[in-house]
Amino acid sequence: MSVNTDRYQTAAARYFEAWNATEPEALGKAVAEAWAPEGGYTDPLADVSGHAQITAVIAAAHEQFPGFVFRPLGAVDGHHDTARFGWELVNEADGSAPVAGFDVVTLNEEGRIRQVLGFLDRVPAGA
């Protein structure tokens, strides 16, 4: 595995750690480790920047989907300062995955996220 591949894998792992943190202190720490201080997150439902706003978006997702975890779908791919990967939101009780998407992230020189551009491929009605 190349150094750059490791960089993309590490960034994605930190990203999923943040999205799966449910305790406020752990969530805040995970967001700070994954994102640069000025980092942003944009998808069809949110357009935020900074650790506090990103933390709030993640906490809101957990409120809407309690008992669910974010899991990667397929491999992380990347070049230069950009990586992409698919994901799904999985119900830990029954294994169903009503939400799935695809994210493109740009990284800073430290390997922390500068920006996420998220796309939702599968969303349940009314969500």
Side-chain angles (χ1 to χ4, degrees), residues 12 25 27 31 34 71 73 78 82 105 112-113 120:
E25 187 174 323
L27 174 55
V31 166
R71 295 213 177 119
L73 270 178
T82 305
V105 301
R112 291 168 68 196
I113 298 169
L120 300 174

Side-chain angles (χ1 to χ4, degrees), residues 18-114:
W19 275 97
N20 287 320
T22 57
E23 297 299 321
E25 187 174 323
L27 174 55
K29 181 179 177 186
V31 166
E33 289 176 2
W35 270 269
E38 71 285 355
Y41 178 86
T42 303
D43 72 13
L45 305 173
D47 186 10
V48 298
S49 62
H51 291 170
Q53 290 182 354
I54 294 165
T55 298
V57 166
I58 293 171
H62 285 289
E63 286 178 21
Q64 185 174 6
F65 294 97
F68 284 73
V69 294
F70 287 86
R71 295 213 177 119
L73 270 178
V76 178
D77 185 27
H79 61 81
H80 296 86
D81 290 332
T82 305
R84 65 180 180 157
F85 50 85
W87 54 267
E88 61 186 353
L89 185 60
V90 179
N91 183 324
E92 290 187 293
D94 66 13
S96 64
V99 182
F102 190 87
D103 291 347
V104 176
V105 301
T106 55
L107 305 175
N108 69 10
E109 59 282 345
E110 298 170 346
R112 291 168 68 196
I113 298 169
R114 280 191 299 208

Side-chain angles (χ1 to χ4, degrees), residues 1-13 76 107:
M1 193 178 288
S2 74
V3 172
N4 283 340
T5 300
D6 288 345
R7 181 174 185 235
Y8 307 133
Q9 295 287 347
T10 298
V76 178
L107 305 175

